[in-house]
Amino acid sequence: QKEVEQNSGPLSVPEGAIASLNCTYSDRVSQSFFWYRQYSGKSPELIMSIYSNGDKEDGRFTAQLNKASQYVSQLIRDSQPSDSATYLCAVNVFVGGNQFYFGTGTSLTVIP
Amino acid sequence: GAVVSQHPSRVICKSGTSVKIECRSLDFQATTMFWYRQFPKQSLMLMATSNEGSKATYEQGVEKDKFLINHASLTLSTLTVTSAHPEDSSFYICSIEGRSYNEQFFGPGTRLTVL
């Protein structure tokens, strides 16, 4: 059973703080990892992808991957109210074809 | 990334009617498209994988005769909800696989309301 688990939240942080979003996965052959942001009533938007252990930074966003611990996280620095959304973790496994698995999402609220 | 469009963005229909939703890849040819459904405050649920020129692969529990998928070209996949009922009311989203790193890019979604 391939599972992606996230804390559903809600997670609340004050404006300007660091928001930390966490995700664990159960399949050791998972190869690619993604973070999507979904605003209420909208479809998911890809914000980060990571494929190898370590950190990947893109502006205020940093993804962290630890394959040994089967853990991927997303840090949002200098959080803004516009970052308030649900963040979905996704994992891609290649088994004869690409299989995507999504977590249930973490709801983030940035308080002005 | 990739640009994906969906049409219509919103549809309201009577129970028993059929509704067709189009998903288009606007900037490259997509051999594989995915169809998801999302109920309020729930996560995405993969319904089926649409393959150009062949039959779609449906997830367990998804009725293939109710949710007809046609992927007739490399830029267009359609989902038809046949004999829609109120319980089919949901947010339907398609996605395509990116060219490089297997990421998925989503269309804007279609909100279906069945009265």
Side-chain angles (χ1 to χ4, degrees), chain A residues 32 34 36 38 41-44 46 51 88 92 98 100 102-104, chain B residues 36 38 43-44 91 93 97 101-109 111:
Chain A
S32 309
F34 309 95
Y36 288 84
Q38 186 175 24
K42 303 294 185 182
S43 65
L46 179 66
Y51 315 101
L88 300 170
N92 177 54
N98 285 315
F100 271 80
F102 284 88
T104 54
Chain B
Y36 292 85
Q38 187 176 38
S43 190
L44 297 169
F91 191 42
I93 314 171
E97 206 170 280
Y101 297 111
N102 306 319
E103 65 274 73
Q104 288 192 22
F105 296 97
F106 289 89
R111 188 159 304 280

Side-chain angles (χ1 to χ4, degrees), chain B residues 4-71:
Chain B
V4 184
S5 71
Q6 274 185 249
H7 178 80
S9 58
R10 184 180 298 268
V11 58
I12 300 173
C13 69
K14 292 182 179 180
S15 184
T17 60
S18 294
V19 175
K20 179 186 283 189
I21 303 169
E22 292 185 349
C23 175
R24 292 184 185 273
S25 172
L26 299 183
D27 57 353
F28 75 93
Q29 296 177 333
T31 55
T32 303
M33 294 184 177
F34 304 91
W35 286 98
Y36 292 85
R37 180 168 54 182
Q38 187 176 38
F39 294 106
K41 299 195 183 299
Q42 294 188 23
S43 190
L44 297 169
M45 290 174 46
L46 178 64
M47 299 176 67
T49 301
S50 170
N51 304 294
E52 188 268 337
S54 63
K55 292 183 179 180
T57 304
Y58 289 82
E59 294 299 300
Q60 191 173 8
V62 178
E63 300 175 56
K64 62 180 181 180
D65 294 330
K66 180 170 181 63
F67 299 99
L68 301 178
I69 292 173
N70 187 313
H71 193 155

Side-chain angles (χ1 to χ4, degrees), chain A residues 40-52:
Chain A
S40 180
K42 303 294 185 182
S43 65
E45 171 192 12
L46 179 66
I47 54 173
M48 287 287 283
S49 55
I50 188 166
Y51 315 101
S52 54

Side-chain angles (χ1 to χ4, degrees), chain A residues 42-84:
Chain A
K42 303 294 185 182
S43 65
E45 171 192 12
L46 179 66
I47 54 173
M48 287 287 283
S49 55
I50 188 166
Y51 315 101
S52 54
N53 282 326
D55 295 358
K56 179 182 178 183
E57 185 175 318
D58 183 1
R60 296 186 295 112
F61 297 89
T62 299
Q64 300 172 316
L65 175 61
N66 184 325
K67 290 189 177 182
S69 301
Q70 297 177 239
Y71 175 91
V72 57
S73 66
Q74 171 84 67
L75 299 178
I76 306 175
R77 290 183 301 281
D78 187 24
S79 296
Q80 302 297 308
S82 59
D83 295 327
S84 299

Side-chain angles (χ1 to χ4, degrees), chain A residues 11-46:
Chain A
L11 173 66
S12 295
V13 299
E15 184 174 355
I18 295 175
S20 178
L21 307 165
N22 304 313
C23 174
T24 58
Y25 59 95
S26 61
D27 194 305
R28 288 194 171 271
V29 297
S30 300
Q31 297 180 320
S32 309
F33 308 85
F34 309 95
W35 283 99
Y36 288 84
R37 176 176 60 198
Q38 186 175 24
Y39 292 113
S40 180
K42 303 294 185 182
S43 65
E45 171 192 12
L46 179 66

